Amino acid sequence: MIFRTARSEARTVETGAGGGGAGGSVPRHVAIIMDGNGRWAKARGLPRAAGHRQGAEAARKVLRAAGEAGVECLTLYAFSSENWRRPAEEIGDLMGLLRLYIANELDSLHKEGVRIKIIGDYKAFQPDIVKLLEASVAKTAGNTRMTLAVALNYGGRSELVRAARGLAERAAAGELAPEAIDEAALDSALDTADLPPLDLLIRTSGEYRLSNFLLWQSAYAELLFVDTLWPDFDGDALRAAIADYSGRERRFGGR
Ligand code: IPE
Ligand code: IPE
Ligand code: MG
């Protein structure tokens, strides 16, 4: 008991660089399932594309607030491996928005010291988008203030399959002994390998599911479901989410 008190006090002090505990600390890694753009637009009699545009605006505000709060990594679910099921027109709108976001934001993100990372099988996108994404990652690779990880054509199951396949290939080539495949080895074969452990996973729009997001990484993340539709989510909403997280006690199976 005394030990735990001492530990949570220590975590309160090391704000922003905590060892994954709550107890007053800022989460090192926050991930968001940005859901509800379509409903936001529908409620205003607008096309879904208008909801996505407003959603991109929310992402901009939330990224800034996350940086100011001392979050080391923000991971945003922008396009799932299942979102290909949407009508071609909507997929086209989302791709157009992605191009626009990169064109408008890349320089300021770079100036603010944000490292961009892509998780997911993004190479399935159109070649010009793949090029833009890779150029953004390369340009910002040396930045250290915070990381923005964007999940594009991302699915947790597909990520695990790709990781397993990569390990199997190395084992088949004799580079890796099968008994060396442990949790750490699988973890480092995932797209998120160089990101801090996931502390807080937020989903907006009142839906209570993961929709194939960060399945492995969320094993011990704190989950927060809010009713706010993503385009209405902002810096205050993020700060409220962080405050909620800070008030929680994480146990990781201990007592
Ligand atoms: C989230 O908003 C954005 C993406 C999935 C790309 P939705 O488009 O899913 O909005 P709703 O859920 O239909 O309201
Ligand atoms: C999850 O939202 C994917 C993203 C936010 C990119 P969806 O709207 O696609 O999820 P479901 O279909 O409601 O589960
Ligand atoms: Mg949705």
Side-chain angles (χ1 to χ4, degrees):
M1 207 49 189
I2 292 163
F3 178 56
R4 188 194 297 158
T5 307
R7 238 183 6 183
S8 48
E9 276 168 7
R11 282 172 184 160
T12 309
V13 179
E14 57 187 31
T15 310
S25 74
V26 169
R28 295 178 66 193
H29 183 176
V30 176
I32 309 183
I33 302 174
M34 310 182 288
D35 197 15
N37 295 352
R39 279 163 284 167
W40 183 93
K42 192 173 180 200
R44 286 161 179 76
L46 297 170
R48 291 179 65 87
H52 294 315
R53 264 201 305 280
Q54 203 55 41
E57 191 52 35
R60 228 169 48 80
K61 290 189 223 163
V62 168
L63 174 68
R64 176 149 305 125
E68 285 166 6
V71 171
E72 281 173 53
C73 176
L74 178 70
T75 299
L76 298 176
Y77 204 6
F79 193 88
S80 79
S81 50
E82 287 73 37
N83 286 146
W84 297 110
R85 294 179 186 157
R86 298 195 178 195
E89 189 194 340
E90 182 170 355
I91 294 174
D93 288 341
L94 287 166
M95 295 305 136
L97 207 55
L98 185 57
R99 288 187 184 93
L100 197 69
Y101 190 88
I102 297 172
N104 290 344
E105 296 299 317
L106 182 59
D107 282 345
S108 65
L109 290 176
H110 184 48
K111 274 194 206 110
E112 287 164 25
V114 178
R115 176 177 77 113
I116 297 172
K117 177 172 172 90
I118 310 298
I119 62 169
D121 199 1
Y122 70 92
K123 290 194 175 159
F125 288 133
Q126 285 164 0
D128 75 296
I129 294 191
V130 173
K131 255 172 93 174
L132 279 174
L133 293 171
E134 289 178 345
S136 310
V137 168
K139 182 178 170 112
T140 61
N143 293 342
T144 53
R145 186 167 156 252
M146 79 173 288
T147 299
L148 168 65
V150 188
L152 289 167
N153 190 24
Y154 177 88
R157 287 180 173 179
S158 135
E159 179 191 36
L160 282 160
V161 168
R162 283 186 286 109
R165 191 177 295 149
L167 293 172
E169 280 165 1
R170 288 173 52 207
E175 297 163 16
L176 182 71
E179 55 277 14
I181 299 177
D182 54 12
E183 290 190 11
L186 186 53
D187 195 71
S188 41
L190 296 171
D191 297 349
T192 52
D194 61 341
L195 302 179
L198 180 60
D199 294 318
L200 174 63
L201 174 63
I202 303 170
R203 183 173 189 143
T204 59
S205 88
E207 305 289 349
Y208 304 106
R209 56 181 173 270
L210 294 179
S211 300
N212 204 10
F213 193 42
L214 300 178
L215 299 179
W216 167 279
Q217 298 84 346
S218 60
Y220 262 104
E222 294 295 323
L223 307 180
L224 180 66
F225 297 93
V226 297
D227 288 336
T228 314
L229 300 173
W230 176 249
D232 289 327
F233 203 88
D234 57 11
D236 283 342
L238 183 79
R239 285 184 282 276
I242 291 174
D244 186 316
Y245 169 87
S246 303
R248 297 186 189 189
E249 184 191 3
R250 301 181 79 184
R251 299 200 191 97
F252 299 100
R255 48 170 288 193

